[in-house]
């Protein structure tokens, strides 16, 4: 089902996840176990990342079809403009449409964290061009990335907001980069409204599960880790289980605060870790039911 229709028809906020396509036999096994666990709970959609460096491209396609056919997990296929010609993008979009896939997340793409594969600017240089192609020629429901604290490459926050507003005027919804201050999300929505855009923006939430990962991801995405979160997690730096527990609590509190503000859903960046994500959903849903 198309995400914009799902949001419109649902009487509650959506619960969704991001998954990575596997690269190795070990990660494939881990993902298979995660999918079994995810299929035991109600998840409204699952988005599947796309390696801009090209190392996991076919894996994304396979996983999208697998989620749709075997797991009944409504898939959103990520696709990037980087390293692709327009014809290649057209062929990928056509393959999805012919297989009945209805949702796309259109992105520019970033070089992979570990430098794997080959990365270069594509024939399209902006996500907006892919949004237009996917909507006009393939009638897909198209989402885009939003950056509450501004994209690291943008000239200024105002500039970034104008570009996001331009993308969202054509696209159907957005999913944000991860962030830890609810006010950053609220300001983003406010700024978009001032620019005449009121399409749904789903907040992306990442539970801090290890300091090193958190710092690396924050640096890449331009997300600031607020002092109070650092202070809260720092005592557990040497104790992975306690750190994970405290990080999960941070994510649960963030989801609840966002849901209180009436967000259209919460999208968890799972990093293919089913147990942490299910704990978050369980705790959030339990809290909501007790109210
Ligand atoms: P764009 O919308 O093209 O914007 C990129 C930058 O250019 C911004 O700074 C913007 O302000 C600026 N800009 C846009 N238009 C103009 C213009 N006309 N003139 C001047 N400046 C302009 N990366 C992957 O490689 N694979 C993934 O699967 C993936 N999934 C993601 C999922 C989510 C939810 C998010 C938030 C990000 C994801 N990314 C992924 C990362 C994303 O590819 C990067 O953030 C990338 O650097 C920018 O992508 P974008 O789609 O926001 O680009």
């Amino acid at each position: 089902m198309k995400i914009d229709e799902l949001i419109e028809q649902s009487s509650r906020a959506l619960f969704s996840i991001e998954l990575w396509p596997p690269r190795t036999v070990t990660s494939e096994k881990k993902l298979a176990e995660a999918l079994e666990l995810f299929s035991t709970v109600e998840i409204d959609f699952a988005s599947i990342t796309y390696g801009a460096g090209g190392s996991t491209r076919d894996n994304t396609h396979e996983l999208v079809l697998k989620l749709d056919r075997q797991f009944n997990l409504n898939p959103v296929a990520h696709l990037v403009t980087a390293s692709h010609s327009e014809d290649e993008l057209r062929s990928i979009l056509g393959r999805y449409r012919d297989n009945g896939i209805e949702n796309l997340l259109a992105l520019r793409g970033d070089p992979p964290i570990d430098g794997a594969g080959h990365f270069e600017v594509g024939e399209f240089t902006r996500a907006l061009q892919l949004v237009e192609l996917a909507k006009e020629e393939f009638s897909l429901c198209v989402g885009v990335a939003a950056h509450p604290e501004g994209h690291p490459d943008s000239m200024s926050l105002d500039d970034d907001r104008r570009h996001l507003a331009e993308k969202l005027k054509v696209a159907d919804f957005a999913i944000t980069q991860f962030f830890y201050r609810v006010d950053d999300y609220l300001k983003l929505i406010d700024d978009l409204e001032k620019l005449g855009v009121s399409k749904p923006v789903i907040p992306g939430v990442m539970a801090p599960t290890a300091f090193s990962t958190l710092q690396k991801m924050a640096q890449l995405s331009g997300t600031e880790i607020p002092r109070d979160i650092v202070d809260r997690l720092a005592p557990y730096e040497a104790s992975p289980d306690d750190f994970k527990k405290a990080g999960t609590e941070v994510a649960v509190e963030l989801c609840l605060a966002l849901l209180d503000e009436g967000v259209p859903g919460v999208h968890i960046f799972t990093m293919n870790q089913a147990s942490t994500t299910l704990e978050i959903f369980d705790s959030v849903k339990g809290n909501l039911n007790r109210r």
Side-chain angles (χ1 to χ4, degrees):
M1 187 174 187
K2 291 188 169 176
I3 303 305
D4 54 349
E5 291 170 7
L6 199 58
I7 293 173
E8 208 176 293
Q9 289 171 22
S10 178
S11 55
R12 56 159 179 80
L14 305 186
F15 290 93
S16 57
I17 56 173
E18 179 188 275
L19 297 169
W20 293 344
R23 272 191 193 170
T24 60
V25 174
T26 312
S27 62
E28 194 171 340
K29 201 166 154 241
K30 199 176 134 200
L31 176 66
E33 288 163 7
L35 287 177
E36 290 302 333
L37 287 171
F38 282 133
S39 63
T40 61
V41 296
E42 198 176 1
I43 290 174
D44 296 293
F45 70 87
S47 80
I48 299 94
T49 64
Y50 189 85
S55 55
T56 57
R57 284 178 184 173
D58 286 339
N59 300 3
T60 297
H61 184 87
E62 276 167 33
L63 184 56
V64 167
L65 296 196
K66 189 172 177 180
L67 292 188
D68 186 47
R69 284 158 195 187
Q70 279 181 34
F71 289 91
N72 206 19
L73 260 174
N74 195 19
V76 174
H78 294 206
L79 182 60
V80 305
T81 60
S83 308
H84 278 304
S85 67
E86 186 176 336
D87 278 350
E88 281 170 342
L89 292 173
R90 212 174 247 119
S91 135
I92 295 167
L93 293 172
R95 219 157 38 127
Y96 279 135
R97 185 196 47 199
D98 297 347
N99 279 290
I101 301 303
E102 297 180 294
N103 301 297
L104 185 87
L105 193 69
L107 304 144
R108 187 191 68 183
D110 266 342
I113 304 176
D114 59 5
H118 173 70
F119 181 89
E120 59 185 40
V121 177
E123 197 170 337
F124 286 167
T125 53
R126 301 282 174 213
L128 174 60
Q129 295 162 286
L130 178 57
V131 179
E132 287 167 344
L133 179 69
K135 285 206 66 74
E136 282 163 18
E137 289 188 30
F138 298 89
S139 304
L140 295 170
C141 170
V142 184
V144 292
H147 308 275
E149 296 170 60
H151 187 278
D153 292 353
S154 57
M155 309 278 280
S156 66
L157 190 58
D158 282 352
D159 204 48
D160 195 50
R161 294 291 203 252
R162 276 193 297 277
H163 292 306
L164 175 60
E166 248 186 86
K167 273 199 300 192
L168 260 179
K169 277 181 184 159
V170 187
D172 302 294
F173 69 100
I175 301 179
T176 76
Q177 188 52 275
F178 74 95
F179 61 92
Y180 292 104
R181 285 182 297 247
V182 175
D183 282 352
D184 287 331
Y185 173 86
L186 296 178
K187 178 163 171 26
L188 170 79
I189 300 301
D190 201 37
D191 290 346
L192 285 173
E193 269 170 18
K194 286 181 188 144
L195 292 165
V197 178
S198 56
K199 300 263 176 78
V201 179
I202 303 173
V205 173
M206 192 177 82
T209 49
F211 243 130
S212 53
T213 318
L214 181 64
Q215 276 160 344
K216 196 165 19 164
M217 304 289 265
Q219 197 185 1
L220 271 173
S221 61
T223 300
E224 196 186 311
I225 313 297
R227 189 75 243 166
D228 60 316
I229 305 270
V230 175
D231 290 346
R232 191 166 158 187
L233 297 173
Y236 310 113
E237 194 170 358
S239 166
D241 287 347
D242 292 335
F243 190 98
K244 222 181 223 182
K245 190 165 172 277
T248 304
E249 282 167 11
V250 166
V252 169
E253 287 168 23
L254 181 59
C255 288
L256 287 170
L258 287 163
L259 290 164
D260 281 345
E261 295 290 346
V263 294
V266 284
H267 189 67
I268 309 292
F269 297 121
T270 70
M271 293 186 276
N272 292 2
Q273 303 276 342
S275 58
T276 307
T277 307
L278 293 184
E279 262 176 58
I280 296 170
F281 282 157
D282 223 40
S283 181
V284 169
K285 289 177 185 176
N287 258 283
L288 293 176
N289 287 338
R290 281 194 294 278
R291 287 177 178 181

